[in-house]
Amino acid sequence: MLSKKTKYAIKALVALGKNVGNPPMQIVKLAEQEMIPRKFLEQILLDMRNAGYLYSKKGAGGGYSLNKDAADIFLADILRITDGPIAMVPCASLKFYRKCDECHDEVTCGIRKTFIDVRNATLKVLAQTSIADVIGRETDDLLVE
Amino acid sequence: MLSKKTKYAIKALVALGKNVGNPPMQIVKLAEQEMIPRKFLEQILLDMRNAGYLYSKKGAGGGYSLNKDAADIFLADILRITDGPIAMVPCASLKFYRKCDECHDEVTCGIRKTFIDVRNATLKVLAQTSIADVIGRETDDLLVE
DNA sequence: CAAAAGACTATAGACTTAGTAGACTTTATT
DNA sequence: AATAAAGTCTACTAAGTCTATAGTCTTTTG
């Protein structure tokens, strides 16, 4: 399951993506608008900022804005910051590889092979879906009608 | 991340899959062989049994054996028993659907749409990979050489 | 009847997640 | 220069989940 942290992160990025062109958005406003606990959001935005996805400005008139094009921020990268590995077992992880405690012979492990397939399938979606795509999909239905 | 419970469940099923044709296997033996805490394994096997995947026999000479063909036991079903939903968000789950706390308008939610894609991609692998497949893949490398 | 095995329920401890608190720093405005 | 508006950073707490263990009960075999 996706953590709330990750969901909040995506929602915040989506909101900031829609805010492009306007002055930066304050944490408080973002928190209210997206119904995210303020201090929790604060931490999440910090992480996103430290990872280079957000630009922040202190002081009066400050706030947060995207530091990259929304089309260049991919869900896979966000998930890795907030939730860590995308693979379901550490030994199948691309970016957070770790030997499984229970595993004796990794080379012949049938479980591992299967979960590498799962990881690849998941990544095919998440590494290609950007915040811009998520925003685009929100209005899909409206466009069709 | 897959829980230990799920990993143990898969390992146990694989071991029992290899044991087909022999007398049923006792919990203690299975636990030792697969290095799984005995009482924990006990619970897991019970779950699998109650879900119809295992047959158990009490008393002297008793133990556990598969109740279905290893080719008819799919990882997706096992994961659902041990870890619950396969989707990363409840609102994208096929078997454990639940509205997301944070979600206002599910119909136009771009996040949901993306994670339905992820779920489908994951399921495409997990719902088609059986315990027999996992066993088969263990020896893949040996066959190639 | 005794021993072997599984069935079932409860509980404890460790870890993770979600959320809160507070003190500090930078910037803009007056 | 003073003040207020904002973000930064670290620590902490509460609740929940996961892993594992313990103990008692039931069934089956010899």
Side-chain angles (χ1 to χ4, degrees):
Chain A
M1 281 279 162
L2 233 54
S3 66
K4 291 209 170 190
K5 190 173 178 184
T6 298
K7 281 192 212 165
Y8 291 156
I10 296 173
K11 292 185 94 175
L13 289 166
V14 165
L16 292 173
K18 290 178 185 166
N19 193 52
V20 169
N22 300 313
M25 210 169 169
Q26 286 90 51
I27 295 176
V28 175
K29 199 187 156 195
L30 192 49
E32 275 172 13
Q33 181 183 305
E34 301 297 326
M35 309 219 288
I36 302 172
R38 191 183 115 251
K39 294 296 275 180
F40 196 19
L41 177 61
E42 211 175 290
Q43 291 172 16
I44 295 165
L45 293 176
L46 248 202
D47 286 348
M48 294 296 132
R49 186 201 100 105
N50 291 334
Y53 294 99
L54 296 179
Y55 168 81
S56 66
K57 203 182 163 193
K58 287 185 178 181
Y64 275 96
S65 46
L66 291 190
N67 195 35
K68 300 191 178 198
D69 194 302
D72 293 327
I73 302 175
F74 295 97
L75 293 190
D77 300 316
I78 303 309
L79 291 225
R80 285 187 180 119
I81 295 168
T82 51
D83 271 357
I86 284 167
M88 297 178 87
V89 285
C91 70
S93 174
L94 214 53
K95 305 277 183 181
F96 296 81
Y97 171 83
R98 221 188 61 226
K99 199 167 175 312
C100 287
D101 308 335
E102 313 79 15
C103 193
H104 316 301
D105 182 6
E106 200 168 84
V107 181
T108 62
C109 178
I111 298 178
R112 178 168 188 245
K113 287 177 190 161
T114 303
F115 283 94
I116 286 179
D117 290 348
V118 172
R119 180 206 67 195
N120 287 333
T122 304
L123 226 38
K124 195 163 183 180
V125 178
L126 292 180
Q128 285 175 2
T129 304
S130 69
I131 294 299
D133 292 325
V134 174
I135 295 174
R137 297 189 108 184
E138 281 184 8
T139 49
D140 264 7
D141 291 337
L142 304 175
L143 290 176
V144 172
E145 290 176 77
Chain B
M1 281 280 161
L2 233 54
S3 66
K4 290 207 171 192
K5 191 173 178 185
T6 298
K7 281 192 212 165
Y8 291 157
I10 298 173
K11 293 185 94 176
L13 288 166
V14 165
L16 291 173
K18 291 179 185 166
N19 194 53
V20 168
N22 301 313
M25 211 168 168
Q26 285 92 51
I27 295 176
V28 175
K29 199 188 156 195
L30 193 49
E32 275 172 13
Q33 181 183 306
E34 301 298 324
M35 309 219 286
I36 302 172
R38 191 184 115 251
K39 294 295 275 181
F40 195 18
L41 177 61
E42 208 176 293
Q43 291 173 17
I44 294 165
L45 293 176
L46 247 203
D47 287 346
M48 294 295 133
R49 185 201 101 105
N50 291 334
Y53 294 98
L54 296 180
Y55 168 81
S56 67
K57 203 181 164 196
K58 288 185 179 182
Y64 276 96
S65 46
L66 291 191
N67 196 34
K68 301 191 177 197
D69 195 300
D72 294 327
I73 303 175
F74 296 97
L75 293 190
D77 300 316
I78 303 310
L79 291 225
R80 285 188 180 118
I81 294 168
T82 51
D83 272 355
I86 283 167
M88 298 179 87
V89 285
C91 72
S93 174
L94 214 53
K95 306 278 183 180
F96 296 82
Y97 171 84
R98 220 187 62 225
K99 199 168 176 313
C100 286
D101 308 335
E102 315 78 16
C103 193
H104 315 302
D105 182 6
E106 200 169 84
V107 180
T108 61
C109 177
I111 299 177
R112 177 167 190 247
K113 288 177 188 161
T114 302
F115 282 94
I116 286 179
D117 289 348
V118 172
R119 179 206 68 195
N120 286 333
T122 304
L123 225 39
K124 194 164 185 181
V125 178
L126 293 180
Q128 286 176 1
T129 304
S130 69
I131 293 298
D133 293 325
V134 174
I135 294 174
R137 297 189 108 185
E138 280 183 9
T139 49
D140 263 7
D141 291 337
L142 303 176
L143 291 175
V144 172
E145 291 176 77

